[in-house]
Structure formats: C-alpha cells, structure tokens
Amino acid sequence: MQPSTSPRRDHLEFAAALDRVLARTGGSHVWSPHSVGTVLGLLAAGASGRTLDELEALLGPDTKGQLEALDAAVDTGSDPDLATLNGLYVPADLEVLPDFEARVRGRAGAEVGRADFARDAEGVRSRINGKVADVTRGLIRELLPPGGVRPDLRMLLVNALWVKVVWPDPFDPAQTRARTFHTPDGKRRVPTMHRSARLPHAQARGWSMVSLEGDHELVLDVLLPDGRTTAPPPVSAEVLADLYRERSSQQVELTLPRFRVETDTSLLEPLAAVGVRRMATDEARFDGISPEPLRADEILHQSVLRVDEKGAEGAAATAVMMLRAAFTPTRPVRFTVDRPFVFVLRRRESVLFLGRVTDPVDPGPAA
C-alpha cells in the first residue's frame, strides 16, 4: 500500500499551535486549518513589518508555498465532492492594490466583488451567507450573525470549504451497534461501527493512529493516546509528523463511533494567544492590500464534520472583517475507539479539518 501524501511540516506546526488554544478541556471541537490558514496566508501576502512577522511566526516563512499547497488540496478538477470559495468584498471607494487582488483571484473558487456596507450592511450579510451556504451544501447557513456586518466595514475576506468523503470499502451498517465509550463524565453507550481490514497504522510518541482512505486522495486519520485517558493532550506537530512517517499496512480490527461535531468561534483571542496580535490594532500594516490603513476587527470561523458508515462530510467557513485603522507612523492491531480521540481530515499537503471527540453525538445511520 502506497502511503498517502503527508501534510507540509509548516502547516502541521500552524495547525497544532492553534489547536492547543482552541481545544476545550473535556469538550469536543473541530476547526479547519485549511480555511483559517488560507485567510491568514492571504493577509500575510498583504502585510508588512511586525504584522507580517507575527503571521509568519505562526504560519512559517514560506506563506506563498503554503498557500499553493492549500490550493492544490482543494483543486476540484472533475471531483463533484469538493467545493471552495475565496471571496474578497470591498466598497467602491476602497482601492485594492492590483497584486493583492490578483492573489485572491488566483485562488480556487475566487470571487472579487463590491459590497455596499454603509447603505446595505444587512443585504451584504445575507448575500455572503447565501454564498457560503451554497458552497457548504447548507451545512453552514449563517457564518455572519445578525449585526455582524457593520456599516463602517472596509473589507470582508471569506473562505468556505465543503468536502464529502466516500469510503471505497464502507462499514457494514449491520455491524454497527451500541458499545461503551469512556467520556470525561463517565461511560456511555454510543452507536459504534466495526470493520476488519488492512489499514494504514502507526505508533509513535505515545500515540496510535489508523487511517481511513477515501476517494480522491482524501484521508481521515483517527488518533488515540496509548494511555486510557479521557482527557487526551493536544496533539503536536512532532507527533503527527512521526505518525505519518511510521505508517504501515496492518490488519486492523477497528471499532469507531459514528459522530458529528461542530464549532462556531471567534479567532481573534486565540490568535492573540499564539502571538498574532498586531493585525487587530491600529499599528497593523496591510499596505500590500490597500493604501488605506486597515486592521482586523473580527475573524469568525465555523466548522462541522460528520462521520458514518458510508464516509464523512465536512464544511468550514472563515470570515475576516476589516476596518479602517487610525494612521500610526511605521515601526492484527486492535484499534478500539472507546474513549476521547483526535481526528484529522486531510487531502494532499493540507489539513482540511482537525478536532477531537470526547462524547460522540450520533448523527444517525448513513442515509
């Protein structure tokens, strides 16, 4: 079995760093390093000075190469089960520099358009939410909340992602039955799938991993810490890189709960916690985007992922809202998933979704 492509190391470092902040003690969560990484990479393309330094400290210095890898991961080609949006929306009186506009237009699913925030903020909100809902097949219907689009908004940068994974060898629904799962609050019986097959498996640094490969190079990795803890630590880039390096085909008896997990969060505070602070202040430097001084006012993110007998379906969306900044001077292996676990949904060199399940919420049988 030829191992699937592993994500880039700088992308893994970014994903693991932000995940440590986003993980909720005792709770499930999911987010998209691909979606968030895309909008941050575009912001880095238009940033300078310390604003750029902070973004590169999180993303890595090769933001151009990382954006290219993220684009390649959502290159839909003839694949109908993958969709993306990269939208840039500005009022008519904001000058966008040609190089930055070209970077956005060069992305998969690109759209650059005018938005009358001052006179029709609610109309803009409705229109963008509609676009995101279309791309995510209705899984994310309201990325921008009521009142979330202000009349003084100067720029809106949006990324959306939808992916559907089909297992070539699906789980047999007849073998799905209630099994014990050890949640942080105690044991609970949850619908659990079963499959016996040769699968990619790895062990490294106190973790084990099994990979479920779907069509079109899509792969779902399920990670378990070796100790029977109900509070697994955040997974590090080193752990992920070593697990991907140690993969080999093994006969695996896999039991895995069906699950659905979703998260809706603001990212400004988590980003500040990992050192990206300046872009939300009047000291922000985005002079590669526009001659007008801009700063980030809010970054919203939503993600949802469902896994069942037939495959997986995930959606994510991220919106960066920017205001005018005040000018400042320049300065047989048994793999039984019966306790909280971490998951990674990836394609090529990109992590599409990363999260954990501590208490599975059953989405119901595969339709």
Side-chain angles (χ1 to χ4, degrees):
M1 179 184 295
Q2 183 70 26
S4 56
T5 304
S6 300
R8 288 170 57 111
R9 182 57 183 258
D10 53 3
H11 185 56
L12 286 179
E13 296 278 1
F14 155 67
L18 194 52
D19 190 64
R20 283 194 293 271
V21 179
L22 293 174
R24 298 178 296 169
T25 302
S28 302
H29 81 285
V30 61
W31 67 289
S32 174
H34 179 279
S35 181
V36 177
T38 296
V39 297
L40 292 181
L42 285 170
L43 289 178
S48 62
R50 293 185 181 179
T51 306
L52 177 59
D53 291 343
E54 291 182 354
L55 286 165
E56 288 187 340
L58 177 62
L59 297 171
D62 185 18
T63 54
K64 180 180 178 182
Q66 193 169 157
L67 272 176
E68 290 173 352
L70 298 183
D71 280 347
V74 294
D75 178 16
T76 58
S78 60
D79 179 12
D81 293 334
L82 193 64
T84 190
L85 166 71
N86 283 290
L88 172 65
Y89 309 99
V90 297
D93 63 341
L94 179 73
E95 179 186 352
V96 177
L97 296 179
D99 283 353
F100 185 77
E101 182 173 334
R103 284 183 182 273
V104 176
R105 289 190 183 277
R107 309 269 78 80
E111 178 178 89
V112 177
R114 297 298 184 190
D116 191 349
F117 302 120
R119 293 186 295 183
D120 190 22
E122 185 59 24
V124 172
R125 185 184 80 89
S126 177
R127 179 163 59 91
I128 301 306
N129 280 344
K131 291 181 180 293
V132 171
D134 286 345
V135 169
T136 62
R137 307 306 192 262
L139 291 177
I140 297 177
R141 295 185 176 276
E142 196 170 74
L143 173 65
L144 306 175
V149 176
R150 295 169 42 173
D152 57 347
L153 204 62
R154 298 299 290 160
M155 189 180 99
L156 181 59
L157 184 64
V158 177
N159 173 272
L161 168 69
W162 173 81
V163 61
K164 186 174 183 180
V165 187
V166 177
W167 312 135
D169 182 13
F171 291 85
D172 181 358
Q175 295 194 44
T176 298
R177 66 177 188 269
R179 296 175 186 261
T180 299
F181 190 94
H182 302 271
T183 80
D185 296 322
K187 297 179 182 179
R188 195 163 75 83
R189 303 281 284 179
V190 301
T192 305
M193 307 176 293
H194 177 267
R195 180 175 165 194
S196 178
R198 291 197 69 83
L199 299 170
H201 174 269
Q203 288 182 301
R205 295 178 178 253
W207 288 80
S208 297
M209 179 181 79
V210 160
S211 299
L212 292 170
E213 298 183 333
D215 294 333
H216 307 294
E217 303 176 70
L218 288 157
V219 184
L220 178 70
D221 305 312
V222 183
L223 289 70
L224 276 176
D226 292 344
R228 295 191 62 83
T229 175
T230 61
V235 65
S236 69
E238 291 77 16
V239 166
L240 288 167
D242 284 356
L243 287 170
Y244 292 140
R245 186 166 49 248
E246 296 298 323
R247 285 172 295 171
S248 64
S249 178
Q250 300 282 345
Q251 187 67 28
V252 177
E253 291 286 338
L254 173 64
T255 57
L256 174 69
R258 291 191 310 232
F259 67 90
R260 175 186 170 98
V261 58
E262 55 186 306
T263 300
D264 181 350
T265 189
S266 168
L267 292 177
L268 280 185
E269 287 189 9
L271 286 169
V274 293
V276 180
R277 304 181 182 90
R278 192 169 295 265
M279 70 176 184
T281 72
D282 286 336
E283 296 180 342
R285 287 284 303 277
F286 289 108
D287 40 12
I289 296 178
S290 172
E292 180 175 311
L294 298 170
R295 65 172 176 86
D297 181 59
E298 180 62 284
I299 303 180
L300 301 175
H301 180 73
Q302 291 185 31
S303 276
V304 57
L305 184 71
R306 169 193 170 120
V307 174
D308 60 29
E309 291 89 347
K310 290 185 177 180
E313 185 179 19
T318 309
V320 181
M321 288 173 274
M322 303 191 77
L323 300 178
R324 180 181 177 88
F327 177 76
T328 56
T330 300
R331 288 175 299 142
V333 172
R334 287 196 178 274
F335 198 87
T336 301
V337 185
D338 63 352
R339 57 195 187 278
F341 59 92
V342 172
F343 59 84
V344 179
L345 179 60
R346 58 191 169 88
R347 188 177 192 235
R348 299 178 183 171
E349 293 187 281
S350 173
V351 176
L352 301 182
F353 294 89
L354 171 64
R356 66 177 56 205
V357 173
T358 59
D359 189 354
V361 176
D362 180 32

